[in-house]
Amino acid sequence: MNKPRAFVKDGKFHIPTAEELGFDPVEMRRKYDFERDRRLRPDGATQYQDIDGDLHHYNDDPYITERIEREPLQESIEVAILGGGFGGMLIAARLERAGIRDFRVIERAGDFGGTWYWNRYPGAQCDVESYIYLPLLDETGYMPAFKYSLQPEIYAHAQRIGRHFDLYPRACFQTQVRELRWDDAAARWIVTSDRGDVFRARHVVISSGSLNRPKLPGIPGIRDFKGHTFHTSRWDYAYTGGSVEGNLHKLADKRVGIIGTGATAIQAIPHLGNTAGHLYVFQRTPSSVDERRNRPTDPAWWTTLQPGWQQARNDNFTKLLVGVSVEEDLVNDGWTELFKSLGELLDNSGAMNLTEAELKLLGEIVDYQHDNRVRARCDEIVRDSKTAGALKHWYRPWCKRPCFNDEYLPTFNKPNVTLVDTGGKGIDRLTENGVVVDGVEYALDCLIFATGFEVSRATYTHQAELDIIGRDGRKLGEYWANGMRTYHGLMSHGFPNLYHMGFTQTGYTPNFTYQLDKQAQHLAAVFTDVKKRGYAVLEPTLQAEEDYLNLVTAPNAMTDYLANCTPGYYNAEGAAKGNNDGFLQGHYPEGGLKFYEMLAEWRAKGDYAGLTVR
Ligand code: NDP
């Protein structure tokens, strides 16, 4: 694995030379800048095609076998929860345990699971270790089969949580909330749905996901292709045959194209390559693909775990990712490896009084060493040198989601698989017959869009597909027209008793379920406390919101890092100049761990600082 090299000379720490490193960091930076610059586009984040109007079928649910028929509900409830993914389930489970039982979980899909309900493409797997990713393992007693879970296990676990905490009777599936309207006199939200339901809720928690609406490439001819198409998050197994485990046998006589080589495509491509008559992979920017090294869970180890182990393991992971030293790296994988390298280095360099510029250079060098090792895998595994070269990524590890997969690179050695590299430009257009790149048409029977999701809170109403009308008729879509404005990432001025779960403006860590559970625990504790005290309304003051916004959007090291990255949704397709651009739209400067400590301290004080309470 990656170890920082050449930082110690004659027993002393020193900044290594290009000769010692085997590469020149200045040249490397030049190459990265060149590769970024040739991907920058004037249309930036507006380049994509959304799936409204006649493209709306890309958002349809292909997994529902039967429509649920039911009468509309009219209910007064304590909490309405929008979204039945892990966020919604965690707040429901935490409320259940706190004794607050009159809540509803309202979910558009046909079951719990959220991301893992929708993303059933072949090979779908979670990159974060199952022992920390799958929530409530302690409580449900479930032992994941592998260190990294495939989708069926994660989806089944969501259902297990639903049963364990008795959430099914309080779930409204196949139901979409259309409007939230604040009734100030009654101090309640009026929640209306496409099923004619009217819920009058004291609190509303929204956990509708950040990567929920598929997007398509904004290219000419998107409607012209006459073959079969679908988006990876709505996989059409009726057409491909097979399942998440693969065996897409109906593709054996088909010419299949896939656009995109992000974290999703990396996992699906090996299965397509196994069975498609011919597979064309259309690449704009390669992913960095490191080893997966999955392994079955050792049952003997499992029996040694003591109550509270999952929280401790999660804290250990999160600490490492924010540069806090730990005695033992419990997760010990590709995620922690990267952070450890820099962390160890900085520990060792502590006595050196390095300047900011030197520290920055060290960070770059560690990243380049890591990237070199990952790029070397392309040459080791892929036999055709041109293809191997095209599969190498030229951007720093956190510019895009790092990928881990053992089958992806070998797929390009198969005679039925062709990488069509577009040199950073993307495909030219679609025709009736297929895809055009550099004037060459690739005729296809089926085209799969692995082109990701709308990820921007600036178009919140569009993304959430609902309108939120707060105090004095203020619309959230308008209030957030220039970006998300929150207090603690959770609440907004003018929208009392409304809470948003997610990563934006909170304390970021790659393990989303860790964040969601911390937020769920926080909100469940707040709801319990306000009930006890008899508070009816909580709302952040404008001043508190502004102060918090200034804190989370102030420039920091990550801002600088992302601004220099290759375009992607992390940096608003290369447009990010400050911490208020891109998908994070601000985050707590001290990271995930400190953010949740801050929330715990806020609760412990009990003065509801920053909120008006009535
Ligand atoms: P992404 O947005 O990451 O990838 C979209 C892909 O489509 C990119 O390769 C992009 O290229 C390509 N693309 C877009 N437009 C064009 C075009 N005009 N021509 C050619 N290519 C184009 O979406 P994903 O679904 O892959 O992943 C989304 C997120 O989901 C990840 O970042 C991750 O957070 C999460 N995820 C997590 C997994 C896990 O294991 N936990 C697994 C899968 C996904 P370019 O890079 O140049 O923009």
Side-chain angles (χ1 to χ4, degrees), residues 48 121 125-127 211 215 217 219 259-265 267 284-285 400-401 426-427 450-453 567 569 573:
Y48 295 102
Y121 58 82
Q125 186 179 44
C126 185
D127 272 352
L211 288 91
K215 66 174 164 45
I219 42 164
I259 303 179
T261 47
T264 296
Q267 296 179 337
R284 187 164 71 178
T285 306
K400 285 186 183 285
R401 178 93 180 182
I427 61 174
T451 43
F453 304 87
Y569 75 83
E573 301 297 330

PDB file of all heavy atoms in Angstrom, residues 48 121 125-127 211 215 217 219 259-265 267 284-285 400-401 426-427 450-453 567 569 573, ligand 1:
ATOM      1  N   TYR A  48     -25.857  19.743 -18.696  1.00  0.00           N
ATOM      2  CA  TYR A  48     -26.613  18.485 -18.676  1.00  0.00           C
ATOM      3  C   TYR A  48     -28.059  18.660 -19.095  1.00  0.00           C
ATOM      4  O   TYR A  48     -28.611  19.750 -19.050  1.00  0.00           O
ATOM      5  CB  TYR A  48     -26.538  17.861 -17.274  1.00  0.00           C
ATOM      6  CG  TYR A  48     -25.132  17.458 -16.937  1.00  0.00           C
ATOM      7  CD1 TYR A  48     -24.347  18.233 -16.091  1.00  0.00           C
ATOM      8  CD2 TYR A  48     -24.562  16.333 -17.524  1.00  0.00           C
ATOM      9  CE1 TYR A  48     -23.038  17.891 -15.816  1.00  0.00           C
ATOM     10  CE2 TYR A  48     -23.256  15.988 -17.256  1.00  0.00           C
ATOM     11  CZ  TYR A  48     -22.494  16.759 -16.402  1.00  0.00           C
ATOM     12  OH  TYR A  48     -21.195  16.416 -16.151  1.00  0.00           O
ATOM     13  N   TYR A 121     -28.158  -1.639 -10.312  1.00  0.00           N
ATOM     14  CA  TYR A 121     -27.413  -2.018 -11.527  1.00  0.00           C
ATOM     15  C   TYR A 121     -26.480  -3.188 -11.202  1.00  0.00           C
ATOM     16  O   TYR A 121     -26.103  -3.387 -10.034  1.00  0.00           O
ATOM     17  CB  TYR A 121     -26.656  -0.799 -12.071  1.00  0.00           C
ATOM     18  CG  TYR A 121     -25.694  -0.174 -11.085  1.00  0.00           C
ATOM     19  CD1 TYR A 121     -24.413  -0.692 -10.891  1.00  0.00           C
ATOM     20  CD2 TYR A 121     -26.069   0.920 -10.316  1.00  0.00           C
ATOM     21  CE1 TYR A 121     -23.544  -0.131  -9.977  1.00  0.00           C
ATOM     22  CE2 TYR A 121     -25.202   1.495  -9.402  1.00  0.00           C
ATOM     23  CZ  TYR A 121     -23.945   0.962  -9.236  1.00  0.00           C
ATOM     24  OH  TYR A 121     -23.076   1.507  -8.321  1.00  0.00           O
ATOM     25  N   GLN A 125     -22.404  -1.915  -5.429  1.00  0.00           N
ATOM     26  CA  GLN A 125     -21.734  -2.266  -4.177  1.00  0.00           C
ATOM     27  C   GLN A 125     -21.379  -0.994  -3.429  1.00  0.00           C
ATOM     28  O   GLN A 125     -21.140   0.036  -4.072  1.00  0.00           O
ATOM     29  CB  GLN A 125     -20.433  -3.024  -4.514  1.00  0.00           C
ATOM     30  CG  GLN A 125     -19.708  -3.579  -3.321  1.00  0.00           C
ATOM     31  CD  GLN A 125     -18.450  -4.339  -3.715  1.00  0.00           C
ATOM     32  OE1 GLN A 125     -17.690  -3.872  -4.550  1.00  0.00           O
ATOM     33  NE2 GLN A 125     -18.238  -5.491  -3.111  1.00  0.00           N
ATOM     34  N   CYS A 126     -21.327  -1.079  -2.126  1.00  0.00           N
ATOM     35  CA  CYS A 126     -20.934   0.109  -1.366  1.00  0.00           C
ATOM     36  C   CYS A 126     -19.427   0.128  -1.153  1.00  0.00           C
ATOM     37  O   CYS A 126     -18.846  -0.860  -0.719  1.00  0.00           O
ATOM     38  CB  CYS A 126     -21.637   0.162  -0.019  1.00  0.00           C
ATOM     39  SG  CYS A 126     -21.239   1.698   0.809  1.00  0.00           S
ATOM     40  N   ASP A 127     -18.846   1.272  -1.429  1.00  0.00           N
ATOM     41  CA  ASP A 127     -17.397   1.443  -1.310  1.00  0.00           C
ATOM     42  C   ASP A 127     -16.930   1.586   0.120  1.00  0.00           C
ATOM     43  O   ASP A 127     -15.749   1.493   0.401  1.00  0.00           O
ATOM     44  CB  ASP A 127     -16.988   2.739  -2.021  1.00  0.00           C
ATOM     45  CG  ASP A 127     -16.714   2.490  -3.476  1.00  0.00           C
ATOM     46  OD1 ASP A 127     -16.703   1.326  -3.862  1.00  0.00           O
ATOM     47  OD2 ASP A 127     -16.513   3.478  -4.199  1.00  0.00           O
ATOM     48  N   LEU A 211     -28.530  12.597  -4.426  1.00  0.00           N
ATOM     49  CA  LEU A 211     -28.272  12.060  -5.755  1.00  0.00           C
ATOM     50  C   LEU A 211     -29.476  11.206  -6.127  1.00  0.00           C
ATOM     51  O   LEU A 211     -29.396   9.978  -6.195  1.00  0.00           O
ATOM     52  CB  LEU A 211     -26.987  11.228  -5.771  1.00  0.00           C
ATOM     53  CG  LEU A 211     -25.692  12.030  -5.654  1.00  0.00           C
ATOM     54  CD1 LEU A 211     -25.259  12.199  -4.226  1.00  0.00           C
ATOM     55  CD2 LEU A 211     -24.585  11.379  -6.438  1.00  0.00           C
ATOM     56  N   LYS A 215     -29.520  12.432 -14.372  1.00  0.00           N
ATOM     57  CA  LYS A 215     -29.336  13.441 -15.422  1.00  0.00           C
ATOM     58  C   LYS A 215     -28.703  12.779 -16.653  1.00  0.00           C
ATOM     59  O   LYS A 215     -28.069  11.718 -16.541  1.00  0.00           O
ATOM     60  CB  LYS A 215     -28.491  14.616 -14.926  1.00  0.00           C
ATOM     61  CG  LYS A 215     -27.043  14.313 -14.600  1.00  0.00           C
ATOM     62  CD  LYS A 215     -26.320  15.610 -14.279  1.00  0.00           C
ATOM     63  CE  LYS A 215     -24.989  15.476 -13.584  1.00  0.00           C
ATOM     64  NZ  LYS A 215     -24.024  14.506 -14.038  1.00  0.00           N
ATOM     65  N   PRO A 217     -26.520  13.421 -20.526  1.00  0.00           N
ATOM     66  CA  PRO A 217     -25.594  14.377 -21.135  1.00  0.00           C
ATOM     67  C   PRO A 217     -26.352  15.366 -22.009  1.00  0.00           C
ATOM     68  O   PRO A 217     -27.300  14.980 -22.700  1.00  0.00           O
ATOM     69  CB  PRO A 217     -24.663  13.509 -21.981  1.00  0.00           C
ATOM     70  CG  PRO A 217     -25.249  12.161 -22.027  1.00  0.00           C
ATOM     71  CD  PRO A 217     -26.319  12.053 -21.004  1.00  0.00           C
ATOM     72  N   ILE A 219     -26.361  16.724 -24.994  1.00  0.00           N
ATOM     73  CA  ILE A 219     -25.746  16.610 -26.326  1.00  0.00           C
ATOM     74  C   ILE A 219     -26.834  16.642 -27.391  1.00  0.00           C
ATOM     75  O   ILE A 219     -27.974  16.240 -27.125  1.00  0.00           O
ATOM     76  CB  ILE A 219     -24.965  15.275 -26.469  1.00  0.00           C
ATOM     77  CG1 ILE A 219     -25.776  14.135 -25.840  1.00  0.00           C
ATOM     78  CG2 ILE A 219     -23.576  15.373 -25.901  1.00  0.00           C
ATOM     79  CD1 ILE A 219     -25.310  12.799 -26.234  1.00  0.00           C
ATOM     80  N   ILE A 259     -22.361   5.280 -21.508  1.00  0.00           N
ATOM     81  CA  ILE A 259     -21.732   6.607 -21.434  1.00  0.00           C
ATOM     82  C   ILE A 259     -21.440   6.901 -19.977  1.00  0.00           C
ATOM     83  O   ILE A 259     -22.342   6.875 -19.135  1.00  0.00           O
ATOM     84  CB  ILE A 259     -22.647   7.714 -21.994  1.00  0.00           C
ATOM     85  CG1 ILE A 259     -23.047   7.394 -23.428  1.00  0.00           C
ATOM     86  CG2 ILE A 259     -21.943   9.076 -21.928  1.00  0.00           C
ATOM     87  CD1 ILE A 259     -23.974   8.435 -24.055  1.00  0.00           C
ATOM     88  N   GLY A 260     -20.181   7.187 -19.676  1.00  0.00           N
ATOM     89  CA  GLY A 260     -19.789   7.509 -18.308  1.00  0.00           C
ATOM     90  C   GLY A 260     -18.865   6.441 -17.753  1.00  0.00           C
ATOM     91  O   GLY A 260     -19.018   5.243 -18.056  1.00  0.00           O
ATOM     92  N   THR A 261     -17.891   6.900 -16.972  1.00  0.00           N
ATOM     93  CA  THR A 261     -16.955   5.981 -16.319  1.00  0.00           C
ATOM     94  C   THR A 261     -16.736   6.418 -14.872  1.00  0.00           C
ATOM     95  O   THR A 261     -15.625   6.400 -14.362  1.00  0.00           O
ATOM     96  CB  THR A 261     -15.603   5.954 -17.085  1.00  0.00           C
ATOM     97  OG1 THR A 261     -15.203   7.301 -17.348  1.00  0.00           O
ATOM     98  CG2 THR A 261     -15.703   5.197 -18.394  1.00  0.00           C
ATOM     99  N   GLY A 262     -17.841   6.862 -14.230  1.00  0.00           N
ATOM    100  CA  GLY A 262     -17.772   7.242 -12.822  1.00  0.00           C
ATOM    101  C   GLY A 262     -17.925   6.029 -11.913  1.00  0.00           C
ATOM    102  O   GLY A 262     -17.849   4.874 -12.365  1.00  0.00           O
ATOM    103  N   ALA A 263     -18.184   6.290 -10.637  1.00  0.00           N
ATOM    104  CA  ALA A 263     -18.217   5.211  -9.633  1.00  0.00           C
ATOM    105  C   ALA A 263     -19.272   4.147  -9.964  1.00  0.00           C
ATOM    106  O   ALA A 263     -19.073   2.955  -9.679  1.00  0.00           O
ATOM    107  CB  ALA A 263     -18.490   5.804  -8.257  1.00  0.00           C
ATOM    108  N   THR A 264     -20.374   4.558 -10.578  1.00  0.00           N
ATOM    109  CA  THR A 264     -21.411   3.589 -10.948  1.00  0.00           C
ATOM    110  C   THR A 264     -20.936   2.714 -12.105  1.00  0.00           C
ATOM    111  O   THR A 264     -21.005   1.474 -12.046  1.00  0.00           O
ATOM    112  CB  THR A 264     -22.698   4.343 -11.369  1.00  0.00           C
ATOM    113  OG1 THR A 264     -23.205   5.056 -10.247  1.00  0.00           O
ATOM    114  CG2 THR A 264     -23.749   3.390 -11.899  1.00  0.00           C
ATOM    115  N   ALA A 265     -20.471   3.366 -13.171  1.00  0.00           N
ATOM    116  CA  ALA A 265     -20.077   2.631 -14.381  1.00  0.00           C
ATOM    117  C   ALA A 265     -18.978   1.608 -14.082  1.00  0.00           C
ATOM    118  O   ALA A 265     -19.008   0.477 -14.602  1.00  0.00           O
ATOM    119  CB  ALA A 265     -19.598   3.620 -15.434  1.00  0.00           C
ATOM    120  N   GLN A 267     -18.548  -0.220 -11.645  1.00  0.00           N
ATOM    121  CA  GLN A 267     -19.074  -1.472 -11.084  1.00  0.00           C
ATOM    122  C   GLN A 267     -19.907  -2.246 -12.107  1.00  0.00           C
ATOM    123  O   GLN A 267     -19.932  -3.475 -12.078  1.00  0.00           O
ATOM    124  CB  GLN A 267     -19.918  -1.144  -9.844  1.00  0.00           C
ATOM    125  CG  GLN A 267     -19.079  -0.517  -8.736  1.00  0.00           C
ATOM    126  CD  GLN A 267     -19.874  -0.151  -7.492  1.00  0.00           C
ATOM    127  OE1 GLN A 267     -21.081   0.047  -7.550  1.00  0.00           O
ATOM    128  NE2 GLN A 267     -19.204  -0.058  -6.365  1.00  0.00           N
ATOM    129  N   ARG A 284     -15.208  10.114 -20.875  1.00  0.00           N
ATOM    130  CA  ARG A 284     -14.753  11.506 -20.940  1.00  0.00           C
ATOM    131  C   ARG A 284     -13.580  11.703 -19.978  1.00  0.00           C
ATOM    132  O   ARG A 284     -12.540  12.183 -20.357  1.00  0.00           O
ATOM    133  CB  ARG A 284     -15.906  12.454 -20.601  1.00  0.00           C
ATOM    134  CG  ARG A 284     -15.556  13.905 -20.804  1.00  0.00           C
ATOM    135  CD  ARG A 284     -16.774  14.796 -20.855  1.00  0.00           C
ATOM    136  NE  ARG A 284     -17.416  14.936 -19.550  1.00  0.00           N
ATOM    137  CZ  ARG A 284     -18.481  15.710 -19.338  1.00  0.00           C
ATOM    138  NH1 ARG A 284     -19.017  16.381 -20.342  1.00  0.00           N
ATOM    139  NH2 ARG A 284     -19.012  15.794 -18.133  1.00  0.00           N
ATOM    140  N   THR A 285     -13.778  11.283 -18.714  1.00  0.00           N
ATOM    141  CA  THR A 285     -12.684  11.376 -17.731  1.00  0.00           C
ATOM    142  C   THR A 285     -12.564  10.025 -17.039  1.00  0.00           C
ATOM    143  O   THR A 285     -13.558   9.504 -16.536  1.00  0.00           O
ATOM    144  CB  THR A 285     -12.997  12.459 -16.668  1.00  0.00           C
ATOM    145  OG1 THR A 285     -13.287  13.685 -17.347  1.00  0.00           O
ATOM    146  CG2 THR A 285     -11.834  12.668 -15.724  1.00  0.00           C
ATOM    147  N   LYS A 400     -12.682  13.564  -7.476  1.00  0.00           N
ATOM    148  CA  LYS A 400     -13.848  12.752  -7.829  1.00  0.00           C
ATOM    149  C   LYS A 400     -13.894  11.600  -6.840  1.00  0.00           C
ATOM    150  O   LYS A 400     -12.924  11.343  -6.142  1.00  0.00           O
ATOM    151  CB  LYS A 400     -13.691  12.183  -9.247  1.00  0.00           C
ATOM    152  CG  LYS A 400     -13.922  13.221 -10.340  1.00  0.00           C
ATOM    153  CD  LYS A 400     -13.895  12.581 -11.714  1.00  0.00           C
ATOM    154  CE  LYS A 400     -14.042  13.617 -12.800  1.00  0.00           C
ATOM    155  NZ  LYS A 400     -15.408  14.131 -12.940  1.00  0.00           N
ATOM    156  N   ARG A 401     -14.990  10.900  -6.830  1.00  0.00           N
ATOM    157  CA  ARG A 401     -15.114   9.761  -5.931  1.00  0.00           C
ATOM    158  C   ARG A 401     -14.045   8.710  -6.273  1.00  0.00           C
ATOM    159  O   ARG A 401     -14.028   8.197  -7.398  1.00  0.00           O
ATOM    160  CB  ARG A 401     -16.505   9.147  -6.119  1.00  0.00           C
ATOM    161  CG  ARG A 401     -16.777   7.933  -5.306  1.00  0.00           C
ATOM    162  CD  ARG A 401     -17.431   8.295  -4.013  1.00  0.00           C
ATOM    163  NE  ARG A 401     -17.700   7.111  -3.225  1.00  0.00           N
ATOM    164  CZ  ARG A 401     -18.312   7.152  -2.063  1.00  0.00           C
ATOM    165  NH1 ARG A 401     -18.736   8.291  -1.569  1.00  0.00           N
ATOM    166  NH2 ARG A 401     -18.518   6.060  -1.370  1.00  0.00           N
ATOM    167  N   GLY A 426     -16.006  14.437 -24.309  1.00  0.00           N
ATOM    168  CA  GLY A 426     -17.337  13.827 -24.241  1.00  0.00           C
ATOM    169  C   GLY A 426     -17.802  13.448 -25.640  1.00  0.00           C
ATOM    170  O   GLY A 426     -17.160  13.789 -26.641  1.00  0.00           O
ATOM    171  N   ILE A 427     -18.908  12.755 -25.684  1.00  0.00           N
ATOM    172  CA  ILE A 427     -19.395  12.308 -26.992  1.00  0.00           C
ATOM    173  C   ILE A 427     -19.957  13.510 -27.759  1.00  0.00           C
ATOM    174  O   ILE A 427     -20.388  14.489 -27.163  1.00  0.00           O
ATOM    175  CB  ILE A 427     -20.454  11.198 -26.852  1.00  0.00           C
ATOM    176  CG1 ILE A 427     -21.656  11.701 -26.066  1.00  0.00           C
ATOM    177  CG2 ILE A 427     -19.871   9.992 -26.158  1.00  0.00           C
ATOM    178  CD1 ILE A 427     -22.774  10.703 -26.033  1.00  0.00           C
ATOM    179  N   ALA A 450     -24.723   6.131 -17.740  1.00  0.00           N
ATOM    180  CA  ALA A 450     -24.128   6.090 -16.387  1.00  0.00           C
ATOM    181  C   ALA A 450     -23.626   7.490 -16.096  1.00  0.00           C
ATOM    182  O   ALA A 450     -22.475   7.708 -15.727  1.00  0.00           O
ATOM    183  CB  ALA A 450     -22.990   5.079 -16.341  1.00  0.00           C
ATOM    184  N   THR A 451     -24.519   8.465 -16.315  1.00  0.00           N
ATOM    185  CA  THR A 451     -24.101   9.873 -16.334  1.00  0.00           C
ATOM    186  C   THR A 451     -24.472  10.628 -15.056  1.00  0.00           C
ATOM    187  O   THR A 451     -24.464  11.855 -15.052  1.00  0.00           O
ATOM    188  CB  THR A 451     -24.696  10.574 -17.571  1.00  0.00           C
ATOM    189  OG1 THR A 451     -26.069  10.174 -17.717  1.00  0.00           O
ATOM    190  CG2 THR A 451     -23.946  10.210 -18.828  1.00  0.00           C
ATOM    191  N   GLY A 452     -24.799   9.909 -14.005  1.00  0.00           N
ATOM    192  CA  GLY A 452     -24.933  10.536 -12.695  1.00  0.00           C
ATOM    193  C   GLY A 452     -26.255  11.251 -12.468  1.00  0.00           C
ATOM    194  O   GLY A 452     -27.259  10.972 -13.128  1.00  0.00           O
ATOM    195  N   PHE A 453     -26.207  12.178 -11.518  1.00  0.00           N
ATOM    196  CA  PHE A 453     -27.435  12.749 -10.953  1.00  0.00           C
ATOM    197  C   PHE A 453     -27.330  14.276 -10.850  1.00  0.00           C
ATOM    198  O   PHE A 453     -26.236  14.816 -10.738  1.00  0.00           O
ATOM    199  CB  PHE A 453     -27.660  12.171  -9.552  1.00  0.00           C
ATOM    200  CG  PHE A 453     -27.710  10.670  -9.563  1.00  0.00           C
ATOM    201  CD1 PHE A 453     -26.545   9.915  -9.463  1.00  0.00           C
ATOM    202  CD2 PHE A 453     -28.922  10.016  -9.714  1.00  0.00           C
ATOM    203  CE1 PHE A 453     -26.586   8.523  -9.500  1.00  0.00           C
ATOM    204  CE2 PHE A 453     -28.970   8.634  -9.751  1.00  0.00           C
ATOM    205  CZ  PHE A 453     -27.811   7.885  -9.649  1.00  0.00           C
ATOM    206  N   PRO A 567     -13.108  19.055 -13.752  1.00  0.00           N
ATOM    207  CA  PRO A 567     -14.534  19.314 -13.525  1.00  0.00           C
ATOM    208  C   PRO A 567     -15.310  18.074 -13.101  1.00  0.00           C
ATOM    209  O   PRO A 567     -15.008  16.957 -13.517  1.00  0.00           O
ATOM    210  CB  PRO A 567     -15.037  19.789 -14.897  1.00  0.00           C
ATOM    211  CG  PRO A 567     -13.834  20.152 -15.676  1.00  0.00           C
ATOM    212  CD  PRO A 567     -12.701  19.352 -15.137  1.00  0.00           C
ATOM    213  N   TYR A 569     -19.081  17.062 -10.352  1.00  0.00           N
ATOM    214  CA  TYR A 569     -20.109  17.676  -9.518  1.00  0.00           C
ATOM    215  C   TYR A 569     -19.561  18.182  -8.184  1.00  0.00           C
ATOM    216  O   TYR A 569     -20.167  19.006  -7.521  1.00  0.00           O
ATOM    217  CB  TYR A 569     -21.333  16.769  -9.352  1.00  0.00           C
ATOM    218  CG  TYR A 569     -21.175  15.580  -8.417  1.00  0.00           C
ATOM    219  CD1 TYR A 569     -21.326  15.735  -7.053  1.00  0.00           C
ATOM    220  CD2 TYR A 569     -20.920  14.307  -8.912  1.00  0.00           C
ATOM    221  CE1 TYR A 569     -21.211  14.649  -6.193  1.00  0.00           C
ATOM    222  CE2 TYR A 569     -20.816  13.214  -8.069  1.00  0.00           C
ATOM    223  CZ  TYR A 569     -20.956  13.385  -6.713  1.00  0.00           C
ATOM    224  OH  TYR A 569     -20.843  12.311  -5.872  1.00  0.00           O
ATOM    225  N   GLU A 573     -18.649  21.530 -11.781  1.00  0.00           N
ATOM    226  CA  GLU A 573     -18.082  21.341 -13.125  1.00  0.00           C
ATOM    227  C   GLU A 573     -16.956  22.336 -13.414  1.00  0.00           C
ATOM    228  O   GLU A 573     -16.826  22.850 -14.518  1.00  0.00           O
ATOM    229  CB  GLU A 573     -19.176  21.426 -14.203  1.00  0.00           C
ATOM    230  CG  GLU A 573     -20.298  20.412 -14.047  1.00  0.00           C
ATOM    231  CD  GLU A 573     -19.851  18.948 -14.162  1.00  0.00           C
ATOM    232  OE1 GLU A 573     -18.870  18.675 -14.878  1.00  0.00           O
ATOM    233  OE2 GLU A 573     -20.487  18.072 -13.530  1.00  0.00           O
TER     234      GLU A 573
HETATM  235  P1  NDP B   1     -20.926  10.591 -11.861  1.00  0.00           P
HETATM  236  O1  NDP B   1     -21.547  11.925 -11.947  1.00  0.00           O
HETATM  237  O2  NDP B   1     -19.845  10.406 -10.883  1.00  0.00           O
HETATM  238  O3  NDP B   1     -20.369  10.132 -13.263  1.00  0.00           O
HETATM  239  C1  NDP B   1     -20.993  10.487 -14.461  1.00  0.00           C
HETATM  240  C2  NDP B   1     -20.133  10.032 -15.612  1.00  0.00           C
HETATM  241  O4  NDP B   1     -20.737  10.427 -16.839  1.00  0.00           O
HETATM  242  C3  NDP B   1     -18.747  10.650 -15.586  1.00  0.00           C
HETATM  243  O5  NDP B   1     -17.813   9.687 -15.974  1.00  0.00           O
HETATM  244  C4  NDP B   1     -18.877  11.767 -16.618  1.00  0.00           C
HETATM  245  O6  NDP B   1     -17.667  12.189 -17.152  1.00  0.00           O
HETATM  246  C5  NDP B   1     -19.753  11.066 -17.638  1.00  0.00           C
HETATM  247  N1  NDP B   1     -20.361  12.004 -18.589  1.00  0.00           N
HETATM  248  C6  NDP B   1     -21.229  12.998 -18.321  1.00  0.00           C
HETATM  249  N2  NDP B   1     -21.522  13.666 -19.456  1.00  0.00           N
HETATM  250  C7  NDP B   1     -20.840  13.072 -20.443  1.00  0.00           C
HETATM  251  C8  NDP B   1     -20.722  13.299 -21.836  1.00  0.00           C
HETATM  252  N3  NDP B   1     -21.350  14.331 -22.431  1.00  0.00           N
HETATM  253  N4  NDP B   1     -19.941  12.476 -22.564  1.00  0.00           N
HETATM  254  C9  NDP B   1     -19.288  11.462 -21.967  1.00  0.00           C
HETATM  255  N5  NDP B   1     -19.336  11.205 -20.660  1.00  0.00           N
HETATM  256  C10 NDP B   1     -20.109  12.001 -19.902  1.00  0.00           C
HETATM  257  O7  NDP B   1     -22.142   9.570 -11.572  1.00  0.00           O
HETATM  258  P2  NDP B   1     -22.090   8.103 -10.920  1.00  0.00           P
HETATM  259  O8  NDP B   1     -23.470   7.567 -10.996  1.00  0.00           O
HETATM  260  O9  NDP B   1     -20.988   7.299 -11.475  1.00  0.00           O
HETATM  261  O10 NDP B   1     -21.723   8.367  -9.411  1.00  0.00           O
HETATM  262  C11 NDP B   1     -22.413   9.355  -8.667  1.00  0.00           C
HETATM  263  C12 NDP B   1     -22.042   9.252  -7.214  1.00  0.00           C
HETATM  264  O11 NDP B   1     -22.708   8.144  -6.630  1.00  0.00           O
HETATM  265  C13 NDP B   1     -20.571   9.003  -6.906  1.00  0.00           C
HETATM  266  O12 NDP B   1     -19.822  10.164  -6.954  1.00  0.00           O
HETATM  267  C14 NDP B   1     -20.643   8.444  -5.513  1.00  0.00           C
HETATM  268  O13 NDP B   1     -20.779   9.488  -4.571  1.00  0.00           O
HETATM  269  C15 NDP B   1     -21.938   7.652  -5.571  1.00  0.00           C
HETATM  270  N6  NDP B   1     -21.626   6.234  -5.793  1.00  0.00           N
HETATM  271  C16 NDP B   1     -21.134   5.556  -4.727  1.00  0.00           C
HETATM  272  C17 NDP B   1     -20.826   4.249  -4.821  1.00  0.00           C
HETATM  273  C18 NDP B   1     -20.337   3.572  -3.610  1.00  0.00           C
HETATM  274  O14 NDP B   1     -19.722   2.582  -3.691  1.00  0.00           O
HETATM  275  N7  NDP B   1     -20.575   4.036  -2.394  1.00  0.00           N
HETATM  276  C19 NDP B   1     -20.952   3.496  -6.083  1.00  0.00           C
HETATM  277  C20 NDP B   1     -21.522   4.299  -7.149  1.00  0.00           C
HETATM  278  C21 NDP B   1     -21.822   5.619  -6.997  1.00  0.00           C
HETATM  279  P3  NDP B   1     -16.806  13.355 -16.414  1.00  0.00           P
HETATM  280  O15 NDP B   1     -16.133  12.677 -15.268  1.00  0.00           O
HETATM  281  O16 NDP B   1     -15.894  13.850 -17.440  1.00  0.00           O
HETATM  282  O17 NDP B   1     -17.799  14.391 -15.955  1.00  0.00           O
END
